[in-house]
Amino acid sequence: MPKAIHLISPNFSDIFSPNIEIGQFPDGDIHVRVPPILECRGQDVVIFHRLYPRQNTSLMGLFLILDSLKEIGAKHVTVVAPYLPYSRQDKKKLNGEVASAFVVCNMLARAGCDKLITFDCHFLNKEGPAEFGELKIENISMGKALVEYAKATAFLGEPCEVITPDMGANYLVKEHGGKSYSKVRKEYEGDKIAYRDVGQMDGDFDVKDKNVLLLDDMISTGATMICALEKLTEGRAKKICCAATHGLFLYNCVDKIKKFTPYVFSSDSIINDNAKVSIKEKLADFGVSQPTLF
Ligand code: R5P
């Protein structure tokens, strides 16, 4: 993306220096200021903005930026949002349920996002360009980088099996033999928290005395990883490591995972204490490593 103008949100400051301001009024409304807005007229623009945590507020901030770019007449607008919230609700299971993944993608496209660059997007199940609803997406995978990090730090060069704890993330292990547990979730238990616990996990892998990397697109409550960890422990695996592109790590699940293994990490698509592998190099592959700051 040569010569595009880069707008960096404050929530991307761990990777690039911010040049836009996002604040909040006392009542919670978002205040956005894009000082380089005039330079964006007729130009290609890349916005770097995380959409997690505080996903609703962060999305609103992005809509405000997109609208100001539309108003000024920016040419082609790309959004780099490493983790796409709402991506797990891409299907309607219950009568009247909203497939919010489509809604969010359509809203982004209609607000002026010509392309979204994101990482291991839950509903895509493969790397590369895609279209979802009205939105064009470039889905980048952190799978290879996470495997390399696990091999270097946990397994110290010893061979390891790489297994996903459910079929959805199977594309992450295609080049490692394609082993995945199959997971079935329970039904919703109430209407207050839309959460379905893991009901069943199947997969008959001989892991005895083998090193195993459990790799997933995300660790949210940790229920999926913990279920797979129980299986591997029963199967008497040698050394186990847990990794995911997106580390949401809710409900203190790192502590629960650490009862099975000390090796648990993610990429920095979401900023967290266990983020060990940076998305920065992957972004560089897409020509967005040296932002043009104003
Ligand atoms: C689901 O299909 C994903 O690949 C992850 O396995 C899942 O989102 C992890 O969620 P949790 O950590 O809450 O089990």
Side-chain angles (χ1 to χ4, degrees):
M1 274 171 262
K3 292 196 183 141
I5 293 176
H6 293 73
L7 300 180
I8 322 290
S9 165
N11 71 17
F12 232 93
S13 63
D14 57 314
I15 297 184
F16 301 131
S17 302
N19 61 351
I20 58 179
E21 296 161 22
I22 302 182
Q24 212 164 18
F25 290 101
D27 63 359
D29 288 358
I30 305 296
H31 175 263
V32 168
R33 184 170 167 253
V34 184
I37 192 71
L38 292 177
E39 285 85 352
C40 297
R41 190 189 306 276
Q43 300 295 315
D44 291 344
V45 176
V46 184
I47 306 168
F48 296 81
H49 179 64
R50 282 193 172 87
L51 294 174
Y52 193 91
R54 298 168 68 240
Q55 57 271 49
N56 298 328
T57 301
S58 302
L59 275 167
M60 188 63 201
L62 179 56
F63 289 132
L64 297 181
I65 300 166
L66 287 168
D67 194 74
S68 64
L69 289 172
K70 197 181 258 191
E71 190 186 3
I72 203 79
K75 198 161 128 199
H76 186 277
V77 178
T78 301
V79 173
V80 178
Y83 169 69
L84 182 64
Y86 294 95
S87 57
R88 285 190 291 175
Q89 186 76 46
D90 59 323
K91 295 181 185 70
K92 299 178 189 184
K93 264 183 71 75
L94 306 174
N95 181 35
E97 201 174 25
V98 176
S100 42
F102 278 98
V103 178
V104 168
C105 288
N106 289 345
M107 284 171 79
L108 286 171
R110 290 170 200 169
C113 170
D114 296 303
K115 184 165 81 169
L116 172 72
I117 295 181
T118 193
F119 286 79
D120 291 309
C121 181
H122 181 74
F123 52 71
L124 287 178
N125 302 329
K126 67 172 182 177
E127 195 171 17
E131 279 185 41
F132 191 79
E134 298 168 24
L135 187 64
K136 288 188 173 49
I137 301 177
E138 183 69 45
N139 188 36
I140 306 176
S141 182
M142 288 302 289
K144 198 162 180 265
L146 293 167
V147 171
E148 278 168 11
Y149 184 83
K151 284 187 172 168
T153 60
F155 304 129
L156 307 173
E158 285 184 14
C160 68
E161 299 268 313
V162 190
I163 301 176
T164 60
D166 67 25
M167 294 303 297
N170 183 266
Y171 76 99
L172 291 174
V173 296
K174 274 271 183 299
E175 63 185 83
H176 304 282
K179 289 182 185 161
S180 294
Y181 287 106
S182 88
K183 175 180 87 179
V184 181
R185 285 202 185 264
K186 295 179 185 167
E187 294 307 317
Y188 289 117
E189 283 168 21
D191 59 0
K192 291 282 188 290
I193 297 181
Y195 172 68
R196 295 184 295 136
D197 202 357
V198 178
Q200 200 179 326
M201 187 172 278
D202 296 309
D204 192 15
F205 307 122
D206 176 15
V207 293
K208 189 166 178 294
D209 299 327
K210 289 181 183 162
N211 294 321
V212 179
L213 168 62
L214 278 173
L215 184 62
D216 208 349
D217 60 330
M218 70 174 85
I219 299 176
S220 178
T221 66
T224 302
M225 277 295 179
I226 288 165
C227 207
L229 283 165
E230 284 166 356
K231 293 236 156 247
L232 294 177
T233 307
E234 274 166 30
R236 297 167 64 196
K238 186 176 165 193
K239 198 184 269 182
I240 311 169
C241 180
C242 286
T245 299
H246 310 297
L248 286 79
F249 296 125
L250 308 176
Y251 302 163
N252 293 322
C253 69
V254 171
D255 292 345
K256 295 176 197 160
I257 290 170
K258 283 194 172 167
K259 290 188 177 144
F260 295 88
T261 173
Y263 304 107
V264 49
F265 63 89
S266 70
S267 83
D268 59 1
S269 66
I270 292 170
I271 297 173
N272 74 85
D273 291 344
N274 294 283
K276 303 291 182 203
V277 183
S278 182
I279 58 171
K280 193 172 177 178
E281 285 70 35
K282 276 287 183 183
L283 286 175
D285 294 346
F286 282 79
V288 286
S289 58
Q290 292 174 335
T292 317
L293 293 174
F294 284 82

